[in-house]
Amino acid sequence: GYLYVKDFLFDASARQRPSLHGLERRALFVLESSDGLAALRAMVRHGIKAAYPSISRQIRGTSFHDLSADERVELLKTSIMLSPEHGEPLVVELVKKGGVFRSQGRESSRTLAAQVLGELSNSEATIETLRELAQARWGISEETRAASSTAASQIHARRGRSVAPPSSGGRS
């Protein structure tokens, strides 16, 4: 993984950073490689934000739901960690995307997306969306409903810890 990322970041012959377009093409190549999970983790570790467009295209792609659960989770986490302002709304949209005709792959992806949000999000808006989904009765599986409820609780608990407690006592 490390050598791959090193080659990804720097063009060895030119000894300079490649263009953003070049980085995006390389990100797509690395994602399609046999060791995609390690490549995704390395992208996060090295903060390769230019990989986000390729990652978001994979998540939006028709074959996303056919990937293994580990690959889907890693793509979802990477999208949020590389670009929280774009990645989190993308993952929230995935959780919300139900339908009259549910497929096992899509519903599994929705459950995984809720779990990833529970692990990484810190947004009040995401809590509200997940709570709404946890209460929904149509177009959502019991697994996704339960994962949404758990994720909302995890985010709420994390937000509660990150807020400074009010000062006790009166003024002297």
Side-chain angles (χ1 to χ4, degrees):
Y2 173 74
L3 293 176
Y4 218 2
V5 171
K6 182 179 173 199
D7 291 341
F8 180 83
L9 284 172
F10 296 99
D11 183 346
S13 63
R15 296 283 185 224
Q16 61 185 355
R17 285 188 178 274
S19 68
L20 285 179
H21 181 68
L23 279 174
E24 188 177 327
R25 279 193 324 216
R26 290 181 188 185
L28 190 55
F29 173 75
V30 169
L31 289 175
E32 292 171 351
S33 73
S34 61
D35 199 9
L37 295 177
L40 288 168
R41 291 180 191 121
M43 286 178 195
V44 169
R45 191 171 45 254
H46 295 285
I48 304 173
K49 294 179 185 291
Y52 176 79
S54 295
I55 292 165
S56 69
R57 272 194 296 282
Q58 275 211 316
I59 293 170
R60 288 184 174 108
T62 56
S63 63
F64 176 73
H65 305 297
D66 298 328
L67 297 172
S68 74
D70 289 343
E71 290 171 306
R72 286 181 282 169
V73 165
E74 208 60 45
L75 281 164
L76 295 169
K77 285 181 177 182
T78 301
S79 72
I80 293 174
M81 292 196 279
L82 288 182
S83 182
E85 68 279 2
H86 299 293
E88 186 167 335
L90 174 64
V91 177
V92 168
E93 266 315 299
L94 180 61
V95 176
K96 288 170 44 175
K97 240 184 224 176
V100 176
F101 302 105
R102 292 188 307 212
S103 74
Q104 182 59 35
R106 177 185 286 178
E107 203 58 31
S108 170
S109 294
R110 292 177 72 193
T111 301
L112 294 170
Q115 292 167 348
V116 166
L117 288 169
E119 184 180 330
L120 299 176
S121 178
N122 200 25
S123 163
E124 186 65 37
T126 298
I127 293 172
E128 291 308 314
T129 298
L130 291 168
R131 284 182 176 158
E132 288 171 15
L133 287 168
Q135 299 300 314
R137 295 292 169 226
W138 297 98
I140 188 169
S141 70
E142 183 57 40
E143 293 82 10
T144 302
R145 192 176 304 120
S148 296
S149 177
T150 300
S153 296
Q154 289 172 321
I155 299 166
H156 181 75
R158 188 169 41 256
R159 284 179 59 90
R161 286 193 302 267
S162 65
V163 175
S167 59
S168 59
R171 292 184 181 188
S172 309

